Amino acid sequence: MPVSPIIRLGTRRSPLALAQAHEARARLCAAHDWDESAVELVPVVASGDRIQDRPLAEIGGKALWTRELDQWLVDGRIDIAVHSMKDVETIRPAEIAIAAILPRADKADRLLGAPSIAGIPQGARVGTSAPRRAAQLLHVRPDLEVVPIRGNVATRIAKLEAGEAHATFLAAAGLDRLGEDEVGVRLDPEDWLPAPAQAAIGIECRSDDAKVRDLLAAIDHADSHAEIRAERRLLEGLGGGCSSPIAALTQRDGNRLHLRAAIYSADGSVRVEEAATFDDGDNNAPLELARKLLGSAPPEVVRLFDGLA
């Protein structure tokens, strides 16, 4: 049994973030035959958790989820940081490396408050601050009103129960990790494309920390990492940010990846979808898919992106 921790693991303080941190610790300890005390959890309050009354795009974007953990990592106060990969900015600091992706969970969204998208009452208020969910919803149900709603899982469920919205969306993976697997109605990802990198837990470390990178390699799930790499490469090509409605779904067939992606106008009136199938490790194919999407999109969609068209 170690006298002091081998790894200091940084995590946000939200219940879901802590659940993900516990999973990462359990996998590390199992892989290296460590006692649980070998991995010390170091909770950090993220800016995104402190500011919950405005959309992310208005207050700094995805960096609000990573800023504090990034600084603690670079400063050496923690050795690794655990993130929901859909919340991690596309371009990361050179000092930080995505060293491991845990096995990806259910990529689907769940709908709370209605039996289906078609079953949401005419003209109802649907709570979401995600441009992707808002645009997808308005594309198929332009009669609905989208209202902003943020917060952790419990907060959003409470807001729904308080009548701030008739329905809302949550990621199936997050609900499952919190033991809320019966909450909501699962939306088939084939019909309702998820966010890029949804349902993936990523672990970062300092780029020059070879010892820690080797330790993390033992829990890196190669297939999941390949999917996340492809979807983040697509994001890089699109140049999308927190205001850019982007949906993507990657499926594996042997050593080949099939990536479907859609981009939208902010109001959902325009949807452009393209797909590509390519070898695992082909980093150019997602960029070409991004070019194809932007090349097919009208100006009102392209202006939401800063990519390669």
Side-chain angles (χ1 to χ4, degrees), residues 104 107 221-234 249-261 274-286 289:
R104 199 171 186 180
K107 303 169 190 174
H221 189 256
D223 287 356
S224 297
H225 206 145
E227 291 185 5
I228 300 309
R229 189 182 300 112
E231 292 173 19
R232 287 176 60 80
R233 189 71 163 161
L234 171 75
L249 177 66
T250 305
Q251 295 173 309
R252 175 177 287 276
D253 182 10
N255 290 323
R256 304 272 285 171
L257 298 177
H258 180 71
L259 174 57
R260 283 177 60 205
E274 300 286 353
T277 301
F278 48 92
D279 290 334
D280 182 354
D282 183 345
N283 289 325
N284 288 323
L289 180 58

Side-chain angles (χ1 to χ4, degrees), residues 72-126:
W72 281 47
L73 192 56
V74 171
D75 289 347
R77 285 183 280 178
I78 56 176
D79 303 301
I80 63 176
V82 175
H83 297 288
S84 293
M85 287 308 299
K86 72 179 180 62
D87 295 332
V88 176
E89 314 98 286
T90 306
I91 306 301
R92 301 296 286 134
E95 303 93 335
I96 295 174
I98 300 170
I101 301 291
L102 302 187
R104 199 171 186 180
D106 188 355
K107 303 169 190 174
D109 276 341
R110 289 204 205 134
L111 174 66
L112 284 68
S116 63
I117 298 295
I120 301 173
Q122 186 83 10
R125 290 157 54 91
V126 178

Side-chain angles (χ1 to χ4, degrees), residues 263 272-275 286-297 309:
I263 57 177
V272 179
E273 180 179 335
E274 300 286 353
L287 294 181
E288 289 301 323
L289 180 58
R291 290 189 180 95
K292 193 173 181 181
L293 282 162
L294 293 175
S296 302

Side-chain angles (χ1 to χ4, degrees), residues 136-197:
Q136 276 189 300
L137 180 68
L138 293 173
H139 182 72
V140 295
R141 289 292 307 275
D143 61 291
L144 298 175
E145 178 187 359
V146 172
V147 296
I149 186 171
R150 281 194 55 221
N152 61 34
V153 170
T155 299
R156 281 188 270 176
I157 291 175
K159 288 181 177 181
L160 186 64
E161 292 174 346
E164 292 189 24
H166 184 95
T168 192
F169 302 95
L170 288 168
L175 289 167
D176 290 345
R177 287 171 181 142
L178 290 171
E180 302 284 359
D181 51 299
E182 299 299 322
V183 172
V185 176
R186 185 179 186 270
L187 302 176
D188 187 344
E190 290 278 2
D191 302 320
W192 181 270
L193 294 178

